[in-house]
Amino acid sequence: MSTESCENTNCCTPATAVAPAEAKWTKPHYRAEKDGNAYKVRVFLPGVAKSGVSVSLDKDTLTIEGVRSDTVEESWTPVFEEIKRDGYRLQLHLEVDIEEEKIEATVDDGVLNLTLPIAEAAKPKVIAVT
Amino acid sequence: MDATINQSIRPMKTIQYNYPKLAFGNDFRRLLRDAFEGFDGLGNLFERPARPANAPAADLYSSDEAYHVRVEVPGVRKEEVSVSLENSVLKIRATHEEGEGEARRVLNFDRSLAVPDDVDAEKIEAKLENGVLSITLTKQEAQKPKQIAIL
């Protein structure tokens, strides 16, 4: 599994390139690990509610987008600001066949938990010696 | 002649240094670094010191009646967060453990923020939503001038 950096905000899709005002994304922190017959991916999306997360799979590219639901009132004066309020976007290239129908996604406390089961075709085969 | 001193008493002010936000800070350092490889003599002169890896990003806003703090603590539950205020320093600590054995993971967050000292310590509210901790620190009511009688 490898990642594509999306720091260049115009790289992702033609759609985002057309609308530069909407094309500001932050790449979230994430962890991916193999757990038995599945890959487990945890994407840290603080400030994003369940309804703000979208996960899509196009061929072998998994795209995760998150829109923040926490707000800051306009009338507040910033003393200091470190949190980026752009949306999140992460693209993961899957190098292993995944059972697309069985992908599970849950969102808890600002963390997206993805379970990507490895397809039977991609599992190692034991060949019996006769 | 009026024998009273009209004096407004304010608590001692915390002195805070706001690091200048210079757009060229990073570029300037890179330029120096490229020119003199290994040279890092300017240190943090132009930058806010880097946060340690376990210090989450935070925002501090001020409004008429309160200060508003936002801290990003994804994956942490309400009961795993502690917030304390001491000497105008707001301390936020959170530890989240999950899994067992080799799959055990610990998330640690530790952040201290210097907050202005006109905070009413009795009126602090915190809530955790979607991995963002929001703290509202109500400002003290403007202190009225206090009449001190001369005996």
Side-chain angles (χ1 to χ4, degrees):
Chain A
M1 200 175 280
S2 68
T3 63
E4 181 190 291
S5 167
C6 260
E7 275 144 35
N8 177 358
T9 50
N10 292 327
C11 72
C12 299
T13 61
T16 54
V18 176
E22 297 291 318
K24 287 200 113 194
W25 301 96
T26 309
K27 188 179 162 189
H29 289 284
Y30 74 98
R31 274 186 199 151
E33 59 195 1
K34 195 177 173 188
D35 179 22
N37 290 327
Y39 281 102
K40 295 255 167 108
V41 184
R42 274 166 73 76
V43 188
F44 297 94
L45 305 167
V48 178
K50 190 177 153 190
S51 56
V53 180
S54 73
V55 181
S56 60
L57 183 65
D58 180 17
K59 290 179 188 140
D60 59 350
T61 305
L62 187 73
T63 304
I64 295 141
E65 287 179 0
V67 180
R68 294 187 80 107
S69 60
D70 63 334
T71 51
V72 166
E73 284 177 33
E74 297 267 317
S75 60
W76 296 355
T77 318
V79 181
F80 61 83
E81 279 179 305
E82 294 166 357
I83 297 173
K84 292 197 175 106
R85 291 188 184 275
D86 313 327
Y88 297 99
R89 187 186 175 111
L90 176 68
Q91 286 195 314
L92 297 170
H93 287 287
L94 309 174
E95 286 163 3
V96 176
D97 282 339
I98 296 295
E99 292 201 43
E100 298 174 22
E101 309 303 315
K102 291 185 186 166
I103 294 178
E104 284 173 31
T106 57
V107 180
D108 291 300
D109 301 313
V111 179
L112 169 70
N113 290 291
L114 281 169
T115 306
L116 309 168
I118 297 167
E120 283 298 327
K123 285 181 190 166
K125 300 254 174 347
V126 178
I127 294 153
V129 179
T130 52
Chain B
M1 197 180 142
D2 196 352
T4 58
I5 300 167
N6 190 348
Q7 197 181 5
S8 94
I9 296 175
R10 298 277 300 150
M12 201 171 70
K13 276 279 166 200
T14 311
I15 296 165
Q16 291 181 4
Y17 179 68
N18 288 323
Y19 292 89
K21 281 185 184 165
L22 293 183
F24 63 85
N26 277 320
D27 292 339
F28 186 57
R29 262 187 76 160
R30 196 178 310 123
L31 190 79
L32 277 175
R33 200 175 54 222
D34 291 349
F36 312 95
E37 213 175 327
F39 175 79
D40 198 20
L42 283 174
N44 287 325
L45 195 58
F46 294 107
E47 286 173 47
R48 221 185 152 91
R51 275 182 280 126
N54 66 340
D59 283 353
L60 176 62
Y61 298 92
S62 173
S63 69
D64 289 344
E65 68 285 346
Y67 296 100
H68 308 269
V69 176
R70 296 279 186 278
V71 188
E72 292 192 323
V73 288
V76 167
R77 284 189 217 101
K78 204 169 83 178
E79 56 272 19
E80 295 167 329
V81 186
S82 78
V83 180
S84 66
L85 179 73
E86 195 181 344
N87 296 332
S88 289
V89 174
L90 189 69
K91 275 191 181 148
I92 296 123
R93 283 204 178 135
T95 305
H96 179 70
E97 287 185 37
E98 59 188 14
E100 279 173 20
E102 280 187 28
R104 189 168 171 267
R105 289 264 184 279
V106 180
L107 286 171
N108 251 314
F109 297 97
D110 192 342
R111 185 75 202 254
S112 293
L113 300 171
V115 293
D117 61 356
D118 57 339
V119 165
D120 188 339
E122 304 299 316
K123 290 182 188 164
I124 301 176
E125 279 176 28
K127 71 172 181 174
L128 184 64
E129 201 172 29
N130 299 322
V132 175
L133 181 67
S134 305
I135 306 166
T136 307
L137 305 122
T138 309
K139 291 182 182 178
Q140 282 171 1
E141 282 178 41
Q143 302 218 348
K144 292 180 187 91
K146 194 175 174 185
Q147 299 285 331
I148 297 164
I150 297 185
L151 301 173

